[in-house]
Amino acid sequence: MQTRSLKLRNHWKEKNREDLLCLPTMLDASKLAAMQFLNHALTLSFVFKPILNPIVVFRMVEISIQHGVCNLSAFAFACYGGWLVSFPTYDFDGGYTMGLVANDLMKMLNATEIIPRLYSMVYGFINIWKEPFQACLGKHVEAADVGESTGDMEFSTTNLVLYVNMAIYGCGIDLRNLEKDIQVYMRRAIRCNQIMLIKNMSILYQLTLDLMGFNHNAFSLYHLGMSEETCFADAHQHNHIAICRLICVKRKYVAFWMGSMDTAAKMCKLHKKYCNASSGRLVSIINSSFVDGMIALYFARKHGDDEEEWTALGESTIQTWSRWAECSSWNFVNKLNLLEAEYAFLKKEDGTAIAKYDASIKAARDHKFNHEEGLAEEKAATYLLHMSRHNEALARFKNAKKML
Protein backbone atom coordinates (compact mmCIF):
# COMPACT_ATOMS: atom_id res chain seq x y z
CA MET A 1 0.00 0.00 0.00
CA GLN A 2 2.84 2.41 0.78
CA THR A 3 4.35 1.84 -2.67
CA ARG A 4 1.04 2.47 -4.39
CA SER A 5 0.33 5.62 -2.34
CA LEU A 6 3.81 6.99 -3.06
CA LYS A 7 3.32 6.34 -6.77
CA LEU A 8 0.02 8.22 -6.76
CA ARG A 9 1.41 11.17 -4.80
CA ASN A 10 4.34 11.50 -7.16
CA HIS A 11 1.95 11.39 -10.10
CA TRP A 12 -0.18 14.22 -8.66
CA LYS A 13 2.87 16.38 -8.03
CA GLU A 14 3.51 16.42 -11.77
CA LYS A 15 -0.02 17.72 -12.49
CA ASN A 16 -1.83 20.88 -11.49
CA ARG A 17 -5.56 21.24 -10.87
CA GLU A 18 -6.27 22.02 -14.53
CA ASP A 19 -4.37 18.93 -15.73
CA LEU A 20 -6.54 16.68 -13.59
CA LEU A 21 -9.69 18.19 -15.03
CA CYS A 22 -8.48 17.54 -18.58
CA LEU A 23 -8.31 13.76 -18.23
CA PRO A 24 -10.32 12.00 -20.99
CA THR A 25 -13.75 10.48 -20.45
CA MET A 26 -13.88 6.80 -19.49
CA LEU A 27 -15.44 4.72 -22.30
CA ASP A 28 -14.40 1.13 -21.54
CA ALA A 29 -17.53 -0.70 -20.29
CA SER A 30 -15.49 -3.14 -18.20
CA LYS A 31 -13.71 -0.30 -16.42
CA LEU A 32 -16.99 1.50 -15.78
CA ALA A 33 -18.32 -1.73 -14.25
CA ALA A 34 -15.17 -2.05 -12.15
CA MET A 35 -15.68 1.49 -10.83
CA GLN A 36 -19.25 0.62 -9.84
CA PHE A 37 -18.07 -2.50 -8.00
CA LEU A 38 -15.29 -0.63 -6.20
CA ASN A 39 -17.71 2.13 -5.28
CA HIS A 40 -19.80 -0.38 -3.31
CA ALA A 41 -16.68 -1.91 -1.78
CA LEU A 42 -15.58 1.55 -0.66
CA THR A 43 -18.46 1.99 1.78
CA LEU A 44 -18.33 -1.57 3.11
CA SER A 45 -14.58 -1.47 3.70
CA PHE A 46 -14.84 1.85 5.56
CA VAL A 47 -17.35 0.37 8.00
CA PHE A 48 -16.22 -3.24 8.35
CA LYS A 49 -12.56 -3.38 7.23
CA PRO A 50 -11.04 0.13 7.44
CA ILE A 51 -7.51 -1.08 6.66
CA LEU A 52 -8.67 -2.10 3.15
CA ASN A 53 -10.38 1.22 2.43
CA PRO A 54 -7.31 3.10 1.11
CA ILE A 55 -6.49 0.20 -1.24
CA VAL A 56 -9.94 0.48 -2.83
CA VAL A 57 -9.52 4.26 -3.14
CA PHE A 58 -6.09 3.93 -4.77
CA ARG A 59 -7.45 1.42 -7.29
CA MET A 60 -10.33 3.69 -8.30
CA VAL A 61 -7.94 6.59 -8.76
CA GLU A 62 -5.51 4.46 -10.79
CA ILE A 63 -8.30 3.31 -13.12
CA SER A 64 -9.36 6.93 -13.61
CA ILE A 65 -5.80 8.00 -14.45
CA GLN A 66 -5.22 5.14 -16.88
CA HIS A 67 -8.64 4.87 -18.54
CA GLY A 68 -10.27 8.28 -18.15
CA VAL A 69 -12.78 9.79 -15.74
CA CYS A 70 -16.42 8.99 -15.06
CA ASN A 71 -18.93 10.27 -12.51
CA LEU A 72 -17.51 8.03 -9.78
CA SER A 73 -14.00 9.34 -10.44
CA ALA A 74 -15.04 12.56 -8.69
CA PHE A 75 -15.91 10.55 -5.59
CA ALA A 76 -12.66 8.58 -5.89
CA PHE A 77 -10.63 11.81 -6.05
CA ALA A 78 -12.49 13.11 -3.01
CA CYS A 79 -11.75 9.88 -1.11
CA TYR A 80 -8.10 10.18 -2.09
CA GLY A 81 -8.16 13.74 -0.71
CA GLY A 82 -9.68 12.35 2.48
CA TRP A 83 -6.79 9.91 2.74
CA LEU A 84 -4.24 12.70 2.18
CA VAL A 85 -5.52 14.81 5.08
CA SER A 86 -5.55 11.83 7.44
CA PHE A 87 -2.98 9.84 9.38
CA PRO A 88 -0.17 9.22 8.52
CA THR A 89 0.15 11.69 5.63
CA TYR A 90 -1.53 14.83 7.05
CA ASP A 91 -1.16 16.56 3.67
CA PHE A 92 -3.88 19.15 4.27
CA ASP A 93 -3.03 21.31 1.24
CA GLY A 94 -2.90 18.32 -1.11
CA GLY A 95 -6.12 16.89 0.26
CA TYR A 96 -7.91 20.23 -0.01
CA THR A 97 -6.80 20.55 -3.63
CA MET A 98 -8.17 17.08 -4.40
CA GLY A 99 -11.48 18.09 -2.84
CA LEU A 100 -11.64 21.11 -5.13
CA VAL A 101 -10.81 18.92 -8.14
CA ALA A 102 -13.55 16.46 -7.14
CA ASN A 103 -16.14 19.23 -6.89
CA ASP A 104 -15.05 20.75 -10.20
CA LEU A 105 -15.16 17.36 -11.95
CA MET A 106 -18.66 16.69 -10.62
CA LYS A 107 -19.85 20.01 -12.06
CA MET A 108 -18.01 19.48 -15.35
CA LEU A 109 -19.64 16.06 -15.83
CA ASN A 110 -22.98 17.36 -14.53
CA ALA A 111 -22.90 14.40 -12.15
CA THR A 112 -25.26 15.89 -9.56
CA GLU A 113 -26.45 12.42 -8.53
CA ILE A 114 -23.12 11.83 -6.76
CA ILE A 115 -23.44 14.97 -4.61
CA PRO A 116 -24.49 12.95 -1.52
CA ARG A 117 -21.39 10.75 -1.78
CA LEU A 118 -19.09 13.58 -2.78
CA TYR A 119 -20.19 16.04 -0.10
CA SER A 120 -19.95 13.40 2.63
CA MET A 121 -16.23 13.17 1.93
CA VAL A 122 -15.37 16.75 0.90
CA TYR A 123 -17.26 18.51 3.70
CA GLY A 124 -17.15 15.72 6.27
CA PHE A 125 -13.44 14.86 6.09
CA ILE A 126 -11.47 17.36 3.96
CA ASN A 127 -12.69 20.95 4.13
CA ILE A 128 -12.96 20.84 7.91
CA TRP A 129 -9.17 21.26 7.92
CA LYS A 130 -9.31 24.50 5.92
CA GLU A 131 -12.75 26.09 6.16
CA PRO A 132 -14.93 26.99 9.18
CA PHE A 133 -16.98 24.11 10.52
CA GLN A 134 -20.05 26.30 10.16
CA ALA A 135 -19.42 26.70 6.40
CA CYS A 136 -19.40 22.92 5.94
CA LEU A 137 -22.49 22.23 8.03
CA GLY A 138 -25.17 23.31 5.56
CA LYS A 139 -23.61 21.29 2.73
CA HIS A 140 -24.64 18.07 4.47
CA VAL A 141 -28.28 19.14 4.58
CA GLU A 142 -28.09 20.06 0.88
CA ALA A 143 -26.57 16.66 0.07
CA ALA A 144 -29.19 14.83 2.15
CA ASP A 145 -31.97 16.52 0.20
CA VAL A 146 -30.32 15.62 -3.15
CA GLY A 147 -29.93 12.02 -2.01
CA GLU A 148 -33.58 11.75 -1.06
CA SER A 149 -34.68 13.18 -4.42
CA THR A 150 -32.38 10.87 -6.44
CA GLY A 151 -32.93 7.72 -4.38
CA ASP A 152 -29.47 7.56 -2.79
CA MET A 153 -30.90 6.97 0.68
CA GLU A 154 -27.66 5.51 2.03
CA PHE A 155 -25.70 8.70 1.52
CA SER A 156 -28.68 10.93 2.17
CA THR A 157 -28.75 9.41 5.66
CA THR A 158 -24.94 9.51 5.88
CA ASN A 159 -25.01 13.26 5.39
CA LEU A 160 -27.64 13.66 8.10
CA VAL A 161 -25.36 11.73 10.47
CA LEU A 162 -22.43 13.95 9.46
CA TYR A 163 -24.58 17.05 9.98
CA VAL A 164 -25.53 16.04 13.52
CA ASN A 165 -21.95 14.97 14.31
CA MET A 166 -20.57 18.35 13.24
CA ALA A 167 -23.42 20.31 14.81
CA ILE A 168 -22.71 18.82 18.26
CA TYR A 169 -18.97 18.25 18.34
CA GLY A 170 -17.90 21.10 16.06
CA CYS A 171 -20.39 23.95 16.08
CA GLY A 172 -22.13 23.64 19.44
CA ILE A 173 -25.58 24.24 17.94
CA ASP A 174 -28.49 24.74 20.34
CA LEU A 175 -29.34 21.22 21.45
CA ARG A 176 -33.01 22.02 22.07
CA ASN A 177 -33.60 22.66 18.38
CA LEU A 178 -31.24 19.92 17.25
CA GLU A 179 -33.00 17.30 19.36
CA LYS A 180 -36.21 17.81 17.39
CA ASP A 181 -34.36 17.56 14.08
CA ILE A 182 -32.64 14.33 15.12
CA GLN A 183 -35.99 12.65 15.76
CA VAL A 184 -37.01 13.48 12.18
CA TYR A 185 -33.68 12.21 10.85
CA MET A 186 -33.98 9.00 12.86
CA ARG A 187 -37.38 8.25 11.37
CA ARG A 188 -36.03 8.86 7.87
CA ALA A 189 -33.19 6.42 8.51
CA ILE A 190 -35.55 3.81 9.97
CA ARG A 191 -37.91 4.17 7.01
CA CYS A 192 -35.01 3.43 4.65
CA ASN A 193 -33.72 0.54 6.84
CA GLN A 194 -30.18 1.98 7.05
CA ILE A 195 -29.17 -0.18 10.04
CA MET A 196 -25.59 0.98 10.63
CA LEU A 197 -26.54 4.62 10.12
CA ILE A 198 -29.50 4.24 12.47
CA LYS A 199 -27.06 3.09 15.14
CA ASN A 200 -24.79 6.05 14.42
CA MET A 201 -27.71 8.46 14.68
CA SER A 202 -28.95 6.75 17.86
CA ILE A 203 -25.56 7.30 19.50
CA LEU A 204 -25.62 10.96 18.53
CA TYR A 205 -29.21 11.27 19.74
CA GLN A 206 -28.20 9.71 23.07
CA LEU A 207 -25.32 12.19 23.26
CA THR A 208 -27.76 15.06 22.76
CA LEU A 209 -30.13 13.78 25.45
CA ASP A 210 -27.27 13.16 27.91
CA LEU A 211 -25.86 16.66 27.41
CA MET A 212 -29.34 18.10 27.98
CA GLY A 213 -29.68 16.10 31.20
CA PHE A 214 -32.53 13.88 29.99
CA ASN A 215 -32.62 10.33 31.32
CA HIS A 216 -34.09 8.78 28.16
CA ASN A 217 -33.00 5.84 26.02
CA ALA A 218 -32.47 7.22 22.52
CA PHE A 219 -32.11 3.71 21.05
CA SER A 220 -35.71 2.84 21.90
CA LEU A 221 -36.83 5.00 18.98
CA TYR A 222 -35.30 2.31 16.75
CA HIS A 223 -35.69 -0.85 18.85
CA LEU A 224 -37.32 -1.18 22.27
CA GLY A 225 -34.83 -3.81 23.37
CA MET A 226 -31.73 -1.82 22.43
CA SER A 227 -29.64 0.48 24.62
CA GLU A 228 -26.22 2.03 24.38
CA GLU A 229 -24.80 -0.87 26.37
CA THR A 230 -26.30 -3.56 24.12
CA CYS A 231 -25.29 -1.63 21.01
CA PHE A 232 -21.68 -1.46 22.20
CA ALA A 233 -21.63 -5.13 23.19
CA ASP A 234 -23.02 -6.18 19.80
CA ALA A 235 -20.57 -3.95 17.92
CA HIS A 236 -17.64 -5.31 19.95
CA GLN A 237 -18.73 -8.90 19.33
CA HIS A 238 -19.02 -8.36 15.57
CA ASN A 239 -15.90 -6.18 15.30
CA HIS A 240 -17.84 -3.10 14.16
CA ILE A 241 -15.01 -0.83 15.20
CA ALA A 242 -16.55 2.41 13.94
CA ILE A 243 -19.56 1.96 16.26
CA CYS A 244 -17.34 1.07 19.23
CA ARG A 245 -15.22 4.14 18.55
CA LEU A 246 -18.22 6.45 18.28
CA ILE A 247 -19.66 5.22 21.60
CA CYS A 248 -16.31 5.63 23.38
CA VAL A 249 -15.95 9.16 22.03
CA LYS A 250 -19.53 9.97 23.03
CA ARG A 251 -19.10 8.68 26.60
CA LYS A 252 -15.81 10.52 27.01
CA TYR A 253 -17.33 13.75 25.69
CA VAL A 254 -20.33 13.60 28.04
CA ALA A 255 -18.17 12.74 31.04
CA PHE A 256 -15.77 15.60 30.28
CA TRP A 257 -18.45 18.24 29.81
CA MET A 258 -20.30 17.03 32.90
CA GLY A 259 -17.14 17.15 35.00
CA SER A 260 -16.94 13.38 35.62
CA MET A 261 -13.22 13.30 35.05
CA ASP A 262 -12.55 9.79 36.35
CA THR A 263 -15.05 8.39 33.84
CA ALA A 264 -13.59 10.62 31.13
CA ALA A 265 -10.11 9.24 31.83
CA LYS A 266 -11.42 5.67 31.69
CA MET A 267 -13.04 6.35 28.30
CA CYS A 268 -9.86 8.07 27.11
CA LYS A 269 -7.95 4.85 27.66
CA LEU A 270 -10.68 2.60 26.27
CA HIS A 271 -10.94 4.71 23.10
CA LYS A 272 -7.31 3.93 22.27
CA LYS A 273 -8.33 0.34 21.50
CA TYR A 274 -10.39 1.57 18.56
CA CYS A 275 -8.78 4.80 17.41
CA ASN A 276 -6.21 3.27 15.01
CA ALA A 277 -8.65 1.32 12.88
CA SER A 278 -9.38 4.12 10.44
CA SER A 279 -7.21 6.94 9.14
CA GLY A 280 -10.21 9.22 8.50
CA ARG A 281 -11.11 11.90 11.01
CA LEU A 282 -14.60 13.21 11.57
CA VAL A 283 -15.08 16.36 13.62
CA SER A 284 -15.98 14.15 16.59
CA ILE A 285 -12.60 12.38 16.37
CA ILE A 286 -10.73 15.66 15.93
CA ASN A 287 -12.34 17.21 18.99
CA SER A 288 -11.91 13.95 20.87
CA SER A 289 -8.17 14.61 20.66
CA PHE A 290 -8.72 18.01 22.26
CA VAL A 291 -10.71 16.39 25.08
CA ASP A 292 -7.90 13.86 25.57
CA GLY A 293 -5.45 16.73 26.06
CA MET A 294 -7.73 18.48 28.54
CA ILE A 295 -8.21 15.25 30.51
CA ALA A 296 -4.46 14.61 30.49
CA LEU A 297 -3.54 18.05 31.82
CA TYR A 298 -6.22 17.84 34.50
CA PHE A 299 -4.82 14.58 35.86
CA ALA A 300 -1.21 15.71 35.45
CA ARG A 301 -2.02 18.49 37.96
CA LYS A 302 -3.01 15.81 40.47
CA HIS A 303 0.71 14.87 40.63
CA GLY A 304 -0.03 11.17 40.98
CA ASP A 305 2.13 8.22 39.99
CA ASP A 306 0.96 8.61 36.39
CA GLU A 307 1.79 12.33 36.16
CA GLU A 308 4.54 11.77 33.61
CA GLU A 309 2.25 9.75 31.35
CA TRP A 310 -0.54 12.33 31.49
CA THR A 311 1.90 15.22 30.95
CA ALA A 312 3.35 13.53 27.88
CA LEU A 313 -0.14 13.09 26.41
CA GLY A 314 -0.92 16.75 27.12
CA GLU A 315 2.30 17.92 25.47
CA SER A 316 1.81 15.73 22.39
CA THR A 317 -1.76 17.01 22.05
CA ILE A 318 -0.54 20.61 22.11
CA GLN A 319 2.00 19.80 19.40
CA THR A 320 -0.70 18.21 17.24
CA TRP A 321 -3.10 21.12 17.67
CA SER A 322 -0.33 23.61 16.91
CA ARG A 323 0.02 21.99 13.47
CA TRP A 324 -3.72 21.91 12.96
CA ALA A 325 -4.14 25.58 13.94
CA GLU A 326 -1.74 26.51 11.15
CA CYS A 327 -4.22 24.96 8.70
CA SER A 328 -7.35 26.53 10.15
CA SER A 329 -7.00 29.13 12.85
CA TRP A 330 -10.78 29.51 12.80
CA ASN A 331 -11.54 25.94 13.84
CA PHE A 332 -8.60 25.12 16.07
CA VAL A 333 -6.87 28.11 17.66
CA ASN A 334 -9.33 28.62 20.52
CA LYS A 335 -8.88 25.00 21.60
CA LEU A 336 -5.10 25.24 21.20
CA ASN A 337 -5.07 28.33 23.42
CA LEU A 338 -7.10 26.52 26.06
CA LEU A 339 -4.74 23.55 26.04
CA GLU A 340 -1.80 25.93 26.40
CA ALA A 341 -3.56 27.69 29.28
CA GLU A 342 -4.07 24.38 31.10
CA TYR A 343 -0.43 23.48 30.48
CA ALA A 344 0.66 26.83 31.95
CA PHE A 345 -1.60 26.05 34.93
CA LEU A 346 0.30 22.76 35.35
CA LYS A 347 3.67 24.52 35.13
CA LYS A 348 2.58 27.35 37.49
CA GLU A 349 3.12 30.03 34.83
CA ASP A 350 0.55 32.56 36.03
CA GLY A 351 1.00 35.28 33.41
CA THR A 352 0.92 32.82 30.52
CA ALA A 353 -2.10 30.97 31.88
CA ILE A 354 -4.32 34.06 32.16
CA ALA A 355 -3.25 35.35 28.74
CA LYS A 356 -4.01 32.00 27.12
CA TYR A 357 -7.39 31.63 28.83
CA ASP A 358 -8.35 35.10 27.60
CA ALA A 359 -7.08 34.32 24.09
CA SER A 360 -9.16 31.13 24.02
CA ILE A 361 -12.28 32.98 25.16
CA LYS A 362 -11.82 35.71 22.55
CA ALA A 363 -11.14 33.27 19.70
CA ALA A 364 -14.16 31.12 20.61
CA ARG A 365 -16.37 34.21 20.73
CA ASP A 366 -15.04 35.61 17.44
CA HIS A 367 -15.44 32.25 15.69
CA LYS A 368 -18.94 31.56 17.06
CA PHE A 369 -18.07 28.55 19.20
CA ASN A 370 -20.31 29.56 22.11
CA HIS A 371 -20.04 26.25 23.93
CA GLU A 372 -16.24 26.42 23.91
CA GLU A 373 -16.29 30.05 25.02
CA GLY A 374 -18.23 28.89 28.06
CA LEU A 375 -15.77 26.04 28.63
CA ALA A 376 -12.81 28.43 28.52
CA GLU A 377 -14.55 30.77 30.99
CA GLU A 378 -15.17 27.85 33.34
CA LYS A 379 -11.57 26.64 33.14
CA ALA A 380 -10.28 30.18 33.72
CA ALA A 381 -12.55 30.43 36.75
CA THR A 382 -11.21 27.12 38.10
CA TYR A 383 -7.67 28.40 37.70
CA LEU A 384 -8.45 31.71 39.45
CA LEU A 385 -10.17 29.84 42.28
CA HIS A 386 -7.04 27.72 42.68
CA MET A 387 -5.05 30.97 42.94
CA SER A 388 -7.47 32.24 45.64
CA ARG A 389 -8.66 35.07 43.39
CA HIS A 390 -12.25 34.47 44.38
CA ASN A 391 -13.97 37.59 43.05
CA GLU A 392 -12.40 37.16 39.62
CA ALA A 393 -13.29 33.46 39.64
CA LEU A 394 -16.93 34.24 40.47
CA ALA A 395 -17.14 36.67 37.56
CA ARG A 396 -15.77 34.04 35.21
CA PHE A 397 -18.21 31.40 36.44
CA LYS A 398 -21.07 33.82 35.78
CA ASN A 399 -19.76 34.39 32.27
CA ALA A 400 -19.66 30.64 31.70
CA LYS A 401 -23.25 30.26 32.88
CA LYS A 402 -24.40 32.82 30.30
CA MET A 403 -23.21 30.47 27.57
CA LEU A 404 -25.64 27.71 28.60
Side-chain angles (χ1 to χ4, degrees):
M1 189 171 74
Q2 289 180 339
T3 302
R4 181 171 288 179
S5 66
L6 182 60
K7 180 181 177 181
L8 279 176
R9 294 184 72 184
N10 289 336
H11 180 83
W12 293 129
K13 286 179 182 179
E14 299 171 0
K15 295 182 179 292
N16 57 34
R17 184 174 168 185
E18 289 70 28
D19 291 333
L20 299 177
L21 294 172
C22 290
L23 290 169
T25 301
M26 187 181 296
L27 300 175
D28 188 325
S30 65
K31 301 305 177 185
L32 289 167
M35 290 291 284
Q36 287 285 356
F37 173 81
L38 291 168
N39 176 52
H40 292 298
L42 203 56
T43 305
L44 292 172
S45 63
F46 183 82
V47 175
F48 298 108
K49 202 72 172 178
I51 196 170
L52 297 179
N53 190 255
I55 298 173
V56 179
V57 171
F58 297 158
R59 186 60 188 142
M60 291 182 75
V61 171
E62 287 172 344
I63 291 175
S64 299
I65 294 171
Q66 296 167 6
H67 302 280
V69 294
C70 63
N71 292 4
L72 289 174
S73 298
F75 184 45
F77 291 167
C79 291
Y80 179 61
W83 178 80
L84 284 175
V85 300
S86 302
F87 176 84
T89 49
Y90 290 137
D91 181 1
F92 300 117
D93 291 332
Y96 186 66
T97 297
M98 290 307 303
L100 295 173
V101 169
N103 262 333
D104 288 345
L105 184 60
M106 177 271 293
K107 294 173 185 175
M108 187 178 74
L109 297 174
N110 195 28
T112 54
E113 76 280 0
I114 70 162
I115 282 177
R117 294 171 183 270
L118 188 65
Y119 281 15
S120 68
M121 182 56 62
V122 171
Y123 297 104
F125 290 87
I126 298 175
N127 287 22
I128 54 178
W129 296 103
K130 287 289 188 177
E131 299 178 3
F133 290 153
Q134 296 92 334
C136 300
L137 195 60
K139 292 294 186 178
H140 292 305
V141 177
E142 177 186 341
D145 290 342
V146 172
E148 189 165 35
S149 67
T150 59
D152 189 353
M153 300 312 301
E154 178 186 3
F155 275 86
S156 176
T157 308
T158 296
N159 275 280
L160 292 177
V161 169
L162 292 170
Y163 172 82
V164 175
N165 186 294
M166 189 179 296
I168 300 173
Y169 287 105
C171 301
I173 281 183
D174 190 324
L175 295 177
R176 290 165 293 191
N177 295 328
L178 186 63
E179 189 265 339
K180 298 174 184 176
D181 291 336
I182 294 174
Q183 290 190 38
V184 175
Y185 301 158
M186 281 280 291
R187 291 188 177 96
R188 282 174 62 174
I190 292 169
R191 187 171 68 246
C192 301
N193 200 32
Q194 298 291 329
I195 304 300
M196 291 299 293
L197 293 170
I198 292 169
K199 291 180 179 180
N200 275 262
M201 190 69 81
S202 297
I203 295 164
L204 293 169
Y205 188 26
Q206 190 67 62
L207 168 62
T208 304
L209 294 174
D210 289 353
L211 290 173
M212 294 174 71
F214 294 157
N215 187 24
H216 301 321
N217 177 17
F219 293 81
S220 64
L221 195 61
Y222 165 56
H223 193 290
L224 289 176
M226 182 177 287
S227 66
E228 185 175 285
E229 289 292 341
T230 61
C231 182
F232 182 84
D234 180 73
H236 182 76
Q237 179 181 352
H238 294 94
N239 201 33
H240 295 166
I241 294 174
I243 294 293
C244 293
R245 182 169 61 242
L246 187 57
I247 291 177
C248 286
V249 167
K250 174 262 173 188
R251 289 176 174 174
K252 177 172 60 177
Y253 194 77
V254 171
F256 171 72
W257 280 87
M258 294 299 183
S260 302
M261 298 304 287
D262 288 337
T263 301
K266 179 181 177 182
M267 288 299 106
C268 178
K269 294 177 179 179
L270 180 61
H271 176 222
K272 291 180 181 179
K273 294 183 179 180
Y274 307 104
C275 66
N276 293 325
S278 172
S279 60
R281 284 180 181 267
L282 293 168
V283 170
S284 55
I285 303 301
I286 294 171
N287 275 6
S288 177
S289 168
F290 162 70
V291 172
D292 285 344
M294 294 294 290
I295 294 168
L297 294 170
Y298 171 87
F299 281 100
R301 291 199 303 271
K302 298 294 183 181
H303 303 298
D305 295 338
D306 53 1
E307 178 182 355
E308 186 175 339
E309 177 186 350
W310 285 120
T311 301
L313 176 56
E315 290 173 343
S316 67
T317 304
I318 290 172
Q319 291 175 359
T320 296
W321 279 77
S322 295
R323 293 196 303 270
W324 293 353
E326 292 177 1
C327 296
S328 175
S329 174
W330 183 283
N331 290 335
F332 303 128
V333 76
N334 70 296
K335 290 173 274 290
L336 171 61
N337 285 333
L338 188 52
L339 288 165
E340 291 173 334
E342 293 285 279
Y343 187 71
F345 185 177
L346 171 65
K347 296 298 182 179
K348 299 181 173 59
E349 299 171 356
D350 180 56
T352 301
I354 291 297
K356 291 294 183 179
Y357 283 124
D358 287 340
S360 178
I361 292 165
K362 183 179 186 304
R365 183 185 304 124
D366 291 346
H367 301 162
K368 314 302 180 185
F369 297 128
N370 295 337
H371 61 309
E372 290 168 353
E373 179 185 350
L375 176 65
E377 289 278 17
E378 179 192 339
K379 294 302 180 181
T382 301
Y383 171 75
L384 291 166
L385 193 62
H386 177 81
M387 300 297 289
S388 299
R389 296 159 65 172
H390 299 99
N391 290 337
E392 293 175 79
L394 180 59
R396 299 280 188 153
F397 277 126
K398 288 181 178 179
N399 289 341
K401 188 175 181 180
K402 293 177 184 176
M403 296 295 107
L404 294 176

